[in-house]
Amino acid sequence: MTPDRASLIEAGDDIQKAVARSIELIGGLRLKGGEDVVIKPNLCNAKNPHGMVITDFSILDSVIRIIQEKTKNITVVESDNISDTADNRAAKSGLLDRLDELGVGFMNLTGDEYEVHEVAGKKLRLPRTVLDADYFVNLPKIKTEGHVSVTLSIKNLFGVLQRRKKSVLHKKLNEILPYLAKNVRHDLIVMDGLVAMEGNGPIIGTPREMGIVVAGRSPVTVDALCAKLMCYDPTEIPHIAKAHEMGLGTMEPEVLGDDWERFICEFERPYSLKASIKSIGSIRKVYLPG
């Protein structure tokens, strides 16, 4: 069996070129034309200190422009969370202005029609727009995360759920996340590794400049590669390991593009003393006015 492929490209000064190359190396978009495309960035907060919290708009721009060569039916989605409504986060972050320039719509999934799924004793509302998409694009960001160690493509799916107070699900993440990875189709993943986050992620960590773009089609394949870049063993991260057991990708992908081992760097783990001290400045920038 041929290993799933992923690509890693050093971004340099031309993000558009790097994104295009990363997609080209995994076989291109594979769009026929005219499909309804749903794009899920990481938009967990409105503020983005050091560019480390949410998906970089240059990545989003680049992916949208490439897809627009095949179809204009593109919707960027997010749902409400404890920090704010998705609409407010999209407006305050500048995302809505950027999408308006591109002629692309934004949808708050919280008001969408939904299916109820029960996982690990919890009822989940999965939006129909995501489930029915002709083509689903996941645009996560490389970050550490206190509950499941890393937040990559699989964890980014948590943001589609119709539940504002998602913290009530945190104890069941290792069951819920693999379930979402299996039930939400993945046609393209482009990982933002320009400025990553280490330490007390996913919102108040500290920046780690990596300057890379990673692409693939399998959430396990992409997440396993990115975990290794962060000096984590993906087999020891329960939600990735379980998704792998469910057949959602390989832990040992064929990596095309630049030499990925050059970009390995040990990320500060969440809630270490060092991480907590470093996060003080980010707390001020994220939560205080101004």
Side-chain angles (χ1 to χ4, degrees):
M1 179 178 176
T2 302
D4 291 358
R5 290 182 170 185
S7 63
L8 184 151
I9 300 295
E10 186 170 11
D13 296 327
D14 194 333
I15 306 300
Q16 174 80 36
K17 184 177 179 180
V19 170
R21 180 63 175 154
S22 73
I23 295 171
E24 177 188 342
L25 286 172
I26 61 168
L29 291 176
R30 299 181 183 174
L31 278 168
K32 294 179 180 178
E35 292 93 338
D36 289 324
V37 175
V38 173
I39 300 177
K40 168 65 174 74
N42 184 319
L43 190 67
C44 60
N45 201 70
K47 293 185 178 180
N48 190 29
H50 309 292
M52 67 177 176
V53 179
I54 64 178
T55 301
D56 195 288
F57 290 166
S58 64
I59 300 282
L60 179 63
D61 279 4
S62 299
V63 171
I64 288 174
R65 292 181 191 278
I66 293 167
I67 292 173
Q68 283 178 327
E69 296 175 8
K70 289 289 187 178
T71 180
K72 304 299 183 184
N73 305 323
I74 303 170
T75 305
V76 174
V77 301
E78 187 57 88
S79 72
D80 294 350
N81 68 17
I82 194 65
S83 73
D84 209 341
T85 67
D87 302 280
N88 285 343
R89 299 196 319 269
K92 293 174 182 177
S93 67
L95 176 62
L96 292 186
D97 290 339
R98 187 66 64 96
L99 294 180
D100 188 57
E101 293 172 6
L102 293 165
V104 170
F106 175 79
M107 181 179 189
N108 183 344
L109 294 171
T110 303
D112 194 20
E113 296 181 3
Y114 60 87
E115 285 184 2
V116 176
H117 294 234
E118 187 164 342
V119 184
K122 300 290 186 180
K123 290 186 177 180
L124 310 178
R125 299 201 306 187
L126 272 63
R128 289 239 55 98
T129 294
V130 170
L131 295 176
D132 296 342
D134 295 329
Y135 191 96
F136 183 79
V137 182
N138 192 340
L139 300 184
K141 192 170 186 71
I142 295 178
K143 298 191 287 186
T144 50
E145 203 273 351
H147 298 94
V148 290
S149 299
V150 295
T151 174
L152 301 165
S153 68
I154 298 176
K155 178 60 168 58
N156 194 41
L157 296 174
F158 197 52
V160 308
L161 295 178
Q162 289 186 355
R163 184 191 289 262
R164 184 163 185 177
K165 191 177 179 181
K166 296 180 175 69
S167 59
V168 299
L169 302 175
H170 282 166
K171 290 183 179 180
K172 301 293 184 179
L173 282 176
N174 289 324
E175 290 78 31
I176 291 171
L177 296 180
Y179 182 89
L180 292 176
K182 183 176 182 179
N183 285 273
V184 175
R185 64 181 297 156
H186 275 84
D187 297 283
L188 178 66
I189 301 166
V190 179
M191 181 75 67
D192 172 8
L194 301 180
V195 180
M197 180 189 289
E198 63 181 345
N200 290 1
I203 295 178
I204 57 169
T206 52
R208 165 76 76 149
E209 296 212 13
M210 296 183 77
I212 60 171
V213 176
V214 177
R217 302 188 194 282
S218 154
V220 169
T221 299
V222 171
D223 287 8
L225 172 58
C226 291
K228 291 176 182 179
L229 291 170
M230 304 162 79
C231 288
Y232 280 92
D233 180 350
T235 66
E236 296 181 358
I237 298 177
H239 73 275
I240 298 178
K242 186 167 185 178
H244 173 251
E245 292 170 3
M246 295 165 72
L248 303 179
T250 179
M251 295 284 201
E252 299 294 337
E254 177 185 359
V255 184
L256 306 175
D258 294 322
D259 178 11
W260 70 275
E261 293 184 340
R262 287 200 297 115
F263 298 94
I264 294 174
C265 48
E266 185 168 2
F267 274 48
E268 188 69 40
R269 276 24 181 183
Y271 307 134
S272 69
L273 177 61
K274 185 177 179 181
S276 298
I277 292 171
K278 282 186 172 182
S279 70
I280 293 172
S282 295
I283 292 172
R284 183 176 63 252
K285 291 181 179 179
V286 169
Y287 293 115
L288 296 183

